[in-house]
Amino acid sequence: ADLTKGDLGPELDGALALISAGKTDAKLFGMIKKDIKAKGPSYCTFKNVGGCAKVTITLLAAGEPTTYGGTDYAKPVTSLPDSALKERVSSGVGHDRVGAAGQTDPAEAIQVDHRLCL
């Protein structure tokens, strides 16, 4: 299947699955990063904070900074109070797991509860 066709969410899910399986393809991840630059800002919104978190975790897992293509994907997640996260991130990811996103080791990012990926 071509991970780079369609919506960004499933593409990021596929990227995380490949990274967690230890499979990295420079050409494919180059295309995914290009798609994050193109689609990420409209995917990461106040109403879709889970999308911001998914982009953040994918970037960290790929060894990239959480600010990418001029957009800080971690900020919408880490700047919300815990109460807002409980409302916005429907899958119950702990704020403490995402709050350290800027300091998280990329290998550890893979271990973050996969339910983050809405």
Side-chain angles (χ1 to χ4, degrees):
D2 186 348
L3 289 179
T4 61
K5 289 185 179 178
D7 295 331
L8 187 59
E11 182 175 345
L12 297 175
D13 291 340
L16 286 169
L18 289 172
I19 293 168
S20 67
K23 301 190 183 290
T24 57
D25 176 286
K27 183 179 176 185
L28 174 63
F29 283 97
M31 293 171 65
I32 290 169
K33 289 188 284 186
K34 183 179 175 182
D35 283 350
I36 288 173
K37 283 183 183 179
K39 301 174 188 177
S42 63
Y43 182 71
C44 170
T45 64
F46 181 72
K47 290 186 177 189
N48 186 25
V49 149
C52 304
K54 187 187 289 191
V55 173
T56 298
I57 297 302
T58 304
L59 288 171
L60 288 170
E64 298 291 337
T66 59
T67 297
Y68 198 77
T71 302
D72 182 349
Y73 292 101
K75 186 175 181 178
V77 180
T78 59
S79 66
L80 290 174
D82 286 343
S83 61
L85 281 175
K86 289 177 186 171
E87 294 171 15
R88 299 274 178 206
V89 182
S90 62
S91 56
V93 175
H95 180 66
D96 59 329
R97 300 295 291 281
V98 180
Q103 295 86 28
T104 302
D105 177 332
E108 184 181 328
I110 294 296
Q111 301 302 318
V112 173
D113 190 337
H114 74 280
R115 292 174 295 167
L116 173 66
C117 302
L118 304 174

